[in-house]
Amino acid sequence: MTTIDTPRLLLRPFTAADAPGILALDSDPEVLRYVPMPLMTSLEQAVRVVDYIQAQYARNGVGRWVVERKADGAFLGWCGLKFVDDATTNGRTNYHDLGYRLLPRHWGQGYTSEAAAASLRHGFDTLKLPALHATVMQGNVASQRVVERLGFGRTAEFEQDGATWYWYERQNQPDPEQPK
């Protein structure tokens, strides 16, 4: 798995040492407000999440990255691509999803947008993926703004897990500024 540097962040693969960060993230009701899953209650659950992400790296060559602040090495959350081949969303499977989740104390500082933009560039420029998708629960206006600023278009609305969701897509278009 690749590591990506942005001006303020390091996006890097998960290690076992990141389990406490996952526990902090997924045990916070604010973080999971728009995520249909129960609050995490144990470090063992967090270890299983890290193991799952690492298995995605091995199986699919992509997976979410830790978002670490370069200035102090702080765990801010995660961001990145995931090849969704083990679930059905909006009637679809086998697609690349852009996702992110940060601890609330790091919201509103541009970290999510910075990490998501780097993930998108990696997916399109390095991996040469034909398209990326994102799902955002209705009401999660901040997350909708992030994907829309990145050029994703809302192409569908669907019901899942007792909630209304928006399906976003962005095609990999050649940059007209880049030489062929």
Side-chain angles (χ1 to χ4, degrees):
M1 280 293 299
T2 303
T3 298
I4 295 178
D5 279 297
T6 73
R8 300 180 297 163
L9 305 172
L10 178 67
L11 306 182
R12 62 165 177 80
F14 273 88
T15 68
D18 296 311
I22 287 291
L23 178 59
L25 196 64
D26 288 352
S27 63
D28 188 317
E30 280 187 87
V31 172
L32 296 187
R33 179 176 177 194
Y34 297 108
V35 180
M37 61 184 260
L39 294 176
M40 190 174 281
T41 59
S42 73
L43 188 58
E44 292 75 25
Q45 290 173 303
V47 168
R48 286 194 296 274
V49 168
V50 171
D51 289 345
Y52 173 77
I53 293 168
Q54 290 175 328
Q56 289 176 337
Y57 299 157
R59 186 174 72 241
N60 301 318
V62 297
R64 310 299 196 198
W65 286 296
V66 169
V67 176
E68 183 178 293
R69 188 170 43 216
K70 285 178 170 178
D72 58 7
F75 177 99
L76 307 186
W78 58 257
C79 183
L81 307 177
K82 175 183 177 183
F83 184 65
V84 179
D85 63 351
D86 58 357
T88 301
T89 305
N90 190 27
R92 300 173 192 205
T93 191
N94 297 322
Y95 64 91
H96 286 90
D97 173 77
L98 172 68
Y100 37 81
R101 195 177 299 166
L102 268 60
L103 291 161
R105 66 182 169 271
H106 305 297
W107 294 354
Q109 299 172 56
Y111 293 131
T112 301
S113 294
E114 187 174 326
S119 298
L120 177 126
R121 283 190 306 274
H122 178 73
F124 284 165
D125 298 345
T126 303
L127 300 177
K128 307 293 186 203
L129 299 174
L132 290 173
H133 303 84
T135 56
V136 181
M137 189 183 284
Q138 184 182 48
N140 190 348
V141 176
S143 195
Q144 291 169 31
R145 280 195 302 260
V146 169
V147 294
E148 289 170 2
R149 277 194 307 257
L150 290 174
F152 283 76
R154 186 187 310 171
T155 60
E157 185 175 301
F158 63 99
E159 300 292 321
Q160 191 162 324
D161 301 315
T164 301
W165 294 80
Y166 299 132
W167 178 264
Y168 286 90
E169 297 182 17
R170 177 162 173 196
Q171 301 300 313
N172 188 353
Q173 302 293 327
D175 183 349
E177 302 295 318
Q178 295 291 328
K180 293 185 179 191

